[in-house]
Structures are given as C-alpha cells and as structure tokens.
C-alpha cells in the first residue's frame, strides 16, 4: 500500500522540499573546477545545518557522507572523497534531507566547464525524462505509467535506463512504498491517488544499461564506463496534478 499524506504532512513536506531546493541551488553555485567531492560534501553539510535540517543520507545503512557525488561513469551513490572535479566532467549530486521528521530527495547532474556535445545531450534527455515521468504522476494513472513514459522517452532518444536502482515513495521516511522503476509496461501496478508523495529519479546511461558496484560497496558505475546522468524530484500527487515539492 502506498501511504496517503494528510494536508498537514503535505504542508511540512513542501517546507522540506523548498529547503532542499535552496540548499541544492546554493551548493551548485559553489562547484568549480578542482574542487574535491569531499569539499562539496562539507559545504552541503554546512548549508543543510543552516536550514535547521539534517542529511537523510548520512548513516543511512552506513552511508558515510551527507551527499552522493557521482562523477562521469558513476551512476549513483558516489562517496565523496579526494577526487577532484576536472574541466569536462559531469557531476551528479543527490541529496536527501530530514526537516523536522519530513523527508525530501533531489538530484541533478551538472556540467563542469566545457562538456562533450553528446554528454550534454545525455543530461538534457535525463532531465526531460524526469519531466515526462512526473507528467504521468496523477490520480487514476497506474504506477507503471510513470516507468513506461520514462523508458520510452529515454530509449527513443538513443540512451538506456538503469534497472538496478529505482525511485521510491517518500515522506515520513526516506524510502517508503512503492518502488518506482524507470522501465516497464504501462497500466500496471497500483492506481495513483491524490496525497501520494513520490521520489521519481531516472538514471540514464549513454551506453549499456548495465551497472556494477565498486569495492566500496556503494558506488554504482556503468559496466562500460560510459557516462551516466541522474535527475530526481520529490513530487506530490494533488487534485491539481503533480506538484513538484523540491523546486
Ligand atoms: Mg531517491
């Protein structure tokens, strides 16, 4: 069963999402060539604490950092370390916060300096795939209408969707029911209802959809080591259609 949020919960989730969006925007402004992902993590922690929130990732199943910072061939769950961002890199920043018990989750892929045209296209397609998925998040649609719309859009654009990692329900904890794959047939799974809150997050690869986990037990990379992009929003299904909370 997918939880339905009360009006009061939705009000708090809106606040959580707004804070997260603000933190992400300020964080993006601080990213430049030669910064290390560890330094980005420290900046993120400071910005989150200034907003009276805490990272929802730090300590989650033992994850050691405040953010996930995934560079180039890294898909998700990159652990911040001494790796420095170089001209032409792409950086996926994924950040979840807990604000007074209300969780929101947001991811973006940024370009640093001049980036190859095909890589830029990968990022644009991933961002657009998120919008296409969000459009399907409305009352009386099936859950898999979101999944199908994302996969269809991505594959028609010449890229592939990651299978091992999926979006999720969110709200009173970071991961709630349901799982939201970025692939699948339409008109399957639960019927969507107003009051559901979902984190929709296409992960799109330039080459094969297959992924591997590095020895640190966390970082997912593309099997062919080609680039991958990731965008995520936390949204609520409302009587006015999908409402993006992390904007
Ligand atoms: Mg997420």
């Amino acid at each position: 069963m997918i939880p339905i949020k009360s009006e009061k919960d939705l009000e708090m989730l809106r606040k959580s999402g707004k804070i997260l969006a603000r933190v992400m925007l300020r964080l993006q402004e601080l990213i430049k060539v030669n910064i290390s992902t560890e330094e980005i993590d420290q900046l993120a922690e400071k910005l989150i604490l200034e907003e009276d929130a805490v990272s929802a990732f730090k300590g989650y199943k033992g994850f050691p950092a405040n953010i996930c910072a995934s560079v180039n061939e890294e898909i998700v769950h990159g652990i911040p370390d001494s790796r420095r961002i170089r001209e032409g890199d792409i950086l996926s920043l994924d950040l979840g916060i807990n604000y007074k018990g209300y969780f929101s989750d947001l991811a973006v892929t940024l370009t640093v300096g001049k980036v190859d045209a095909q890589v830029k296209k990968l990022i644009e397609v991933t961002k657009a795939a998120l919008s296409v998925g969000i459009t399907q998040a409305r009352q009386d649609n099936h859950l898999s209408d979101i999944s199908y719309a994302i996969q269809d859009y991505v594959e028609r654009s010449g890229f592939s969707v990651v299978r091992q990692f999926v979006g999720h329900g969110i709200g009173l904890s970071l991961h709630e029911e349901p799982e939201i794959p970025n692939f699948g047939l339409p008109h399957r799974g639960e019927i969507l209802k107003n009051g559901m809150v979902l984190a929709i997050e296409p992960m799109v690869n330039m080459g094969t959809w297959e992924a591997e986990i590095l020895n640190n037990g966390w970082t997912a990379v593309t099997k062919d080591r080609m680039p991958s992009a990731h965008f995520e929003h936390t949204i609520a299904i409302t009587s006015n259609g999908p409402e993006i909370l992390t904007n």
Side-chain angles (χ1 to χ4, degrees), residues 83-94:
R83 181 174 184 167
R84 291 189 180 278
I85 303 298
R86 292 182 305 196
E87 171 90 20
D89 280 348
I90 62 170
L91 170 66
S92 298
L93 287 177
D94 191 354

Side-chain angles (χ1 to χ4, degrees), residues 15-28:
K15 284 185 187 163
S16 177
K18 280 234 168 344
I19 288 170
L20 177 52
R22 196 154 58 222
V23 166
M24 186 63 98
L25 214 61
R26 292 179 63 195
L27 192 58
Q28 284 180 48

